Amino acid sequence: MKKGGRGVSAWPLALLAPLAAMPLQAGAAGKSVAQLEKEMAVLQAENQSLEQRIQQLESRLAALAPSPQAATQPMATATQPMTRSAPPAATVLASTTTPTSDVTQTTSASTIRTVDDVPKSVEDIYQTASGFFSSSKFSIEPSFSYSYYDVHEMTLNGFLALDSIFLGNINIDRIKSDTYTFDVTTRYSPTPRLQFDIDVPMIGRDSTYFSGGVGGSSTTLSQSQLSQAPKLGDVSAGISYKLVQEDADWPDIVGSIRVKAPTGKEPYGIKVRTDPNNDNLSVPDSMPTGNGLWAATAGMSFVKTIDPAVVFANLGYTYYFDRHFNDISSNANQQVPGSIKLGNSWQLGAGVAFALNDRISLGMSYSQQIEQGSQTKVDGGSWQGITGSDANAASINLGLTFAMSRHFSIIPTVSFGLTPDSPNYSLSVRFPYQF
C-alpha cells in the first residue's frame, strides 16, 4: 500500500466505480431517483468512514516502523550479544484496536531491564564472582567449608662427610590438619548500587602431629592429636558500591572496603610443650581461631558477559595493624610482652563461568594470595623480621551453582592447592537466600 493522498484516494475510486452502472440497473428495477440518491448518500458515508480508518492505520504503522538507521543494519541488532544489563529488542504485538499511545508506552516499558529478567543461573554467577547481591534488599547466606592440610618437614642436624655421606640426625615431622568453618553472612542493599554485609565465622580444628626419633630410633614415629570444638573466629564487615554498570563496552565494576576485627582467639602466647615420650615432638596447648589483629581490605571486582560465557576478575589488598600483647612467646613457663605486625597481602583472581540452563551454571577460577613477612617487637626492643613468615597461597577452584528457586540457591565449590602454603584441597557449600 502506498502512503500519501494518492494511496488513500484509490480506495474511494474503487468503491465508486460500480456506481456508474447503477442508473441502468435502477431503471431496470423500477427504482425512483429519490431512492437512488438515498442509496448514494449511504455509500458515500461508508466510504468516508473507510478513508478515516485507513488514515488511522497508516499513522499507527508509522509509529511502529523502525528508524532508518536500524532498518539499514538489521544484522547488527540481531547478532549483538546480550549482556546482563542490556536486553534484546522487545517484540510488541498489538491488535488493530489498540491506541497508538498505548503501543508506544508498551514499547518503551519493555526496554527497561531488571535483574529479574536474567536467568537465575546467570544471576548466581554474577553474585558469586562479585559478592554483590543487588536483586534483593536483604539476603542471608549460611555456608560450610572444610580444608585439609598435610605438611611434611624434614630436619637435618649434622654434616656431610666426603661431600656424600651425611653424619647426624634426620628428623621427619608431619602435621595433618582438618579445619571446619561455619559462616553466616547477611547483606543489606538500600539501593541497587550499595550493599552492606557482615560475616560471622565459627571455626573448629582437628590436628595430628607426627615426629620420628622415639627412644633415639630414626624409624619409630610418635603422634599426638589435638581437637577443638567450633569457636568464634574473626568477624568482618564490609561495604560495596557498584561503580560502573555493565554495558556493551564496560564490565560491571564493584569497589569494596572490609574491616576485620580480632574477635577470635589469637595464636600468640599459646604454649608449645614437648611430648614426654619423644623430645622431637612438640604440641601446642590449644589452637587459634583468628590472627589477633585488626585488618582493612580494599578491593575491586570486574564481571563481563561475553555470550555465552561470563568472565570475572578481582583484586584486593589487605593491611594489618600492629597490636601489643601481654605474651608473644610460645615457650612454656615464659611470658614475653611485645607487639606483632603481620605482613600485608595482595589477593587476586580470575575465572570464567557458563550458564548451562536457567538453573545450573559451571565455573572455574584461579585465586592467589601473596603475603609479606611478619615482624615482632619485644617491649623495649626494635622490630625483628620472622624468618619464613612470608607466604604464597594459590589454588584452582571449580564451582557449580544450582538455583532451587528464584530466592534460594546451592553453590558447592572444590579447590585444589597449587603451593605448599595452600590447603591440599578445600570443599565448601554456600546457601544464599534472598528475601
Side-chain angles (χ1 to χ4, degrees):
M1 178 188 298
K2 295 182 180 180
K3 297 181 181 180
R6 289 182 296 174
V8 175
S9 60
W11 285 85
L13 291 177
L15 293 173
L16 293 176
L19 298 180
M22 290 189 65
L24 296 177
Q25 296 174 359
K31 292 184 179 181
S32 65
V33 176
Q35 290 176 336
L36 291 175
E37 291 178 348
K38 184 177 180 180
E39 292 180 3
M40 177 69 74
V42 172
L43 290 174
Q44 288 177 346
E46 293 179 354
N47 179 67
Q48 185 177 3
S49 175
L50 289 173
E51 183 177 354
Q52 293 177 353
R53 181 61 177 163
I54 292 171
Q55 291 177 352
Q56 292 178 358
L57 292 175
E58 287 183 342
S59 299
R60 193 170 297 166
L61 180 62
L64 294 175
S67 62
Q69 181 178 2
T72 57
Q73 299 178 350
M75 292 302 295
T77 303
T79 59
Q80 182 179 3
M82 183 180 68
T83 63
R84 195 182 59 84
S85 57
T91 301
V92 179
L93 301 178
S95 64
T96 56
T97 59
T98 305
T100 304
S101 58
D102 293 343
V103 175
T104 305
Q105 293 175 359
T106 303
T107 305
S108 301
S110 63
T111 61
I112 300 176
R113 185 66 173 261
T114 64
V115 73
D116 291 334
D117 300 323
V118 180
K120 189 64 170 66
S121 58
V122 178
E123 180 184 338
D124 287 339
I125 293 175
Y126 171 78
Q127 294 171 348
T128 302
S130 66
F132 195 85
F133 287 61
S134 60
S135 59
S136 65
K137 281 196 171 184
F138 182 74
S139 66
I140 185 169
E141 181 183 299
S143 64
F144 168 78
S145 64
Y146 165 77
S147 299
Y148 174 76
Y149 293 83
D150 192 349
V151 181
H152 293 75
E153 293 183 355
M154 183 173 66
T155 304
L156 303 179
N157 185 16
F159 62 94
L160 287 176
L162 304 176
D163 294 332
S164 61
I165 302 174
F166 179 80
L167 300 178
N169 295 324
I170 300 177
N171 185 38
I172 299 177
D173 294 331
R174 181 184 181 186
I175 301 176
K176 295 171 59 177
S177 179
D178 303 289
T179 303
Y180 311 89
T181 304
F182 306 88
D183 281 276
V184 176
T185 303
T186 55
R187 301 178 179 91
Y188 173 68
S189 301
T191 70
R193 285 182 174 266
L194 182 64
Q195 174 182 280
F196 299 93
D197 69 90
I198 184 170
D199 177 70
V200 179
M202 300 291 291
I203 300 176
R205 298 179 187 271
D206 288 322
S207 296
T208 304
Y209 302 84
F210 301 87
S211 185
V214 177
S217 173
S218 61
T219 60
T220 306
L221 294 176
S222 62
Q223 74 177 50
S224 179
Q225 188 170 0
L226 184 63
S227 298
Q228 177 179 282
K231 294 183 179 180
L232 180 65
D234 289 345
V235 176
S236 64
I239 178 173
S240 303
Y241 185 78
K242 185 179 292 186
L243 302 172
V244 178
Q245 178 76 33
E246 180 185 4
D247 57 23
D249 300 317
W250 286 87
D252 261 352
I253 301 178
V254 177
S256 63
I257 297 176
R258 297 195 66 79
V259 175
K260 181 180 288 188
T263 55
K265 178 179 176 56
E266 66 273 4
Y268 322 111
I270 296 178
K271 304 306 178 181
V272 177
R273 305 185 185 278
T274 302
D275 190 294
N277 299 321
N278 185 358
D279 293 341
N280 294 324
L281 179 60
S282 299
V283 180
D285 289 339
S286 61
M287 289 180 287
T289 59
N291 56 37
L293 303 181
W294 285 89
T297 301
M300 296 187 71
S301 62
F302 309 84
V303 183
K304 186 72 174 75
T305 304
I306 303 177
D307 197 19
V310 177
V311 296
F312 52 88
N314 56 74
L315 178 67
Y317 181 77
T318 300
Y319 178 85
Y320 290 96
F321 298 88
D322 61 271
R323 184 184 175 193
H324 184 272
F325 297 90
N326 294 328
D327 187 12
I328 61 173
S329 174
S330 60
N331 295 329
N333 305 319
Q334 184 181 18
Q335 183 171 344
V336 179
S339 300
I340 298 291
K341 173 68 172 70
L342 294 181
N344 303 327
S345 64
W346 286 94
Q347 305 91 36
L348 55 93
V352 61
F354 298 88
L356 302 183
N357 52 44
D358 289 347
R359 303 179 66 183
I360 300 177
S361 66
L362 291 174
M364 179 179 67
S365 65
Y366 169 82
S367 60
Q368 185 173 9
Q369 179 173 339
I370 303 173
E371 186 172 340
Q372 301 171 352
S374 302
Q375 296 177 310
T376 63
K377 184 177 70 171
V378 179
D379 286 358
S382 59
W383 287 104
Q384 301 291 327
I386 302 176
T387 303
S389 59
D390 58 327
N392 186 350
S395 61
I396 288 291
N397 315 297
L398 302 176
L400 168 73
T401 68
F402 183 77
M404 301 295 292
S405 68
R406 192 66 194 175
H407 301 279
F408 178 65
S409 298
I410 299 177
I411 306 176
T413 304
V414 58
S415 302
F416 301 95
L418 302 178
T419 63
D421 297 319
S422 307
N424 294 63
Y425 65 89
S426 299
L427 301 173
S428 67
V429 184
R430 299 162 50 199
F431 307 92
Y433 184 87
Q434 304 176 54
F435 293 89

